[in-house]
Amino acid sequence: MYTENICKDILLFSKAVATNQIARFSPGLYVRLTGQTGRGGDEGSSADVAGYFFECVEDYRRQLGLEPAEFKTFLAGKTILEYGPGDVLGVALLLYAYGAAQVRCVDRFPLNKINAKNAAIYKALCEGLTGDEKSRAMAAFNSSGDPESGFSAGTVNYAVTPNGLSGESLAYDLIISRAVLEHVDDIDATFADIDAALKPDGKSIHKVDLKSHGLDRYQAFDFLTWPRPLYRLMYSHKGFPNRWRANKYVEAAGKAGLEITQLAPIDQLGAEQIDRIMPKLASEFRSVSRDLLSWLSFWIILEKKPNTH
């Protein structure tokens, strides 16, 4: 295994294994200890976070290739599933405001919460809307316009499941996630859930972040040099990157019977950085093409294959 400081890496390994067991047996405690939000680090004011959620929804619109009015027509009456929404269901609220019939959010960790900070984010989202869209957003709460009252039944729903999957069949017109799939422990099970839960004419859109999420030690992508058994002991229950590259997602889609209608990188690692890390890679990454290995993030859009259901 690649290391530049064996003592440092032994200590890192020991701490990571201990916290992985906490996440395994008490996910709620792990979330409280680490203060996870599902969105990364400090994100600024309520208005800034609301702006982030507006941009997320815009990304989905652009991936669908629709103009704003077309996007809202597309959403009208749709049932939507979002994997791993984080502690604020901002995307779900906006999709409901734009016309979706219902949005269900599922996660493995119990991140969703309504406190003063998050309530202010919901209010900022409502204030960023106008007309019927604002009215729908306000009406999504048990007490109109009051996020602290919680979401009303049939608008935006949240569930924590042991594996973070929906377990549903032919239930959704649209399934989405953003920087989530790289954290799931069983990619094949997740893609099978997408295939099962998606309606025959539905679409599934995912932004996948392949970066190290702070796990590199000495150089870019050296988190890919840990042997898989050691990496799993350290991170398999904590929602940390599963480390799979884009080729694994293509393989999982095929196994699940899903058709990939779009697969495109967003950004890539430089050639010199790839040259430095390739000789040090763990065995499961040595067969990945140089191009796919360089991908830092990508979009993937999925549909059911014709006549498979």
Side-chain angles (χ1 to χ4, degrees):
M1 188 197 81
Y2 162 69
T3 182
E4 296 181 12
N5 186 327
I6 188 64
C7 293
K8 172 184 174 181
D9 288 339
I10 289 173
L11 180 60
L12 170 63
F13 175 77
S14 301
K15 289 182 176 179
V17 170
T19 52
N20 198 42
Q21 294 307 302
I22 295 174
R24 177 183 181 186
F25 294 107
S26 184
L29 175 61
Y30 177 74
V31 168
R32 292 193 296 274
L33 290 173
T34 57
Q36 291 189 38
T37 66
R39 293 189 311 281
D42 182 26
E43 61 271 298
S45 68
S46 299
D48 291 335
V49 180
Y52 163 80
F53 285 122
F54 276 106
E55 184 59 30
C56 289
V57 173
E58 277 293 287
D59 278 345
Y60 292 126
R61 178 188 68 77
R62 287 189 285 262
Q63 290 305 308
L64 287 167
L66 299 175
E67 295 298 321
E70 294 173 326
F71 182 54
K72 291 164 188 175
T73 299
F74 167 82
L75 290 175
K78 294 286 196 301
T79 53
I80 300 173
L81 172 67
E82 181 181 13
Y83 291 120
D87 69 330
V88 178
L89 311 184
V91 168
L93 177 61
L94 290 176
L95 293 175
Y96 180 77
Y98 290 153
Q102 185 180 43
V103 185
R104 184 181 185 225
C105 304
V106 294
D107 211 331
R108 176 176 175 258
F109 293 100
L111 297 176
N112 178 50
K113 55 189 173 184
I114 297 181
N115 51 28
K117 178 180 178 181
N118 291 354
I121 295 169
Y122 287 125
K123 289 179 180 177
L125 287 167
C126 292
E127 290 168 2
L129 298 166
T130 59
D132 291 341
E133 293 158 9
K134 183 172 184 176
S135 297
R136 280 181 62 87
M138 301 278 278
F141 302 105
N142 284 311
S143 179
S144 182
D146 179 13
E148 294 187 36
S149 67
F151 286 103
S152 59
T155 59
V156 175
N157 299 323
Y158 179 83
V160 176
T161 64
N163 51 15
L165 303 180
S166 74
E168 297 195 61
S169 178
L170 304 177
Y172 299 104
D173 301 287
L174 178 66
I175 299 176
I176 60 173
S177 74
R178 184 183 181 98
V180 171
L181 296 188
E182 70 272 13
H183 296 287
V184 304
D185 191 45
D186 190 339
I187 287 289
D188 290 338
T190 300
F191 276 64
D193 189 65
I194 293 170
D195 183 59
L198 202 61
K199 293 180 181 179
D201 58 349
K203 293 181 179 293
S204 189
I205 307 174
H206 307 273
K207 183 179 182 181
V208 184
D209 184 352
L210 299 179
K211 294 186 284 295
S212 74
H213 295 59
L215 296 184
D216 286 336
R217 294 159 291 151
Y218 312 106
Q219 61 177 280
F221 274 15
D222 71 16
F223 80 125
L224 301 178
T225 66
W226 288 99
R228 185 156 184 80
L230 297 186
Y231 190 83
R232 287 186 60 79
L233 284 172
M234 297 164 70
Y235 299 119
S236 59
H237 299 286
K238 294 191 287 193
F240 275 53
N242 52 41
R243 302 196 302 175
W244 294 121
R245 305 294 92 186
N247 62 303
K248 177 67 175 180
Y249 295 83
V250 172
E251 177 186 316
K255 286 181 180 178
L258 290 163
E259 180 177 357
I260 299 174
T261 60
Q262 180 177 321
L263 179 72
I266 300 169
D267 48 5
Q268 295 177 260
L269 202 63
E272 291 183 3
Q273 293 170 299
I274 292 295
D275 287 340
R276 285 198 298 270
I277 200 61
M278 283 191 75
K280 306 177 179 73
L281 294 173
S283 59
E284 65 262 38
F285 304 115
R286 292 173 190 166
S287 62
V288 180
S289 73
R290 182 185 179 86
D291 177 57
L292 290 183
L293 187 64
S294 74
W295 288 18
L296 291 165
S297 59
F298 67 94
W299 283 103
I300 184 169
I301 301 180
L302 307 159
E303 297 178 1
K304 283 182 179 290
K305 288 184 178 179
N307 303 319
T308 59
H309 293 269

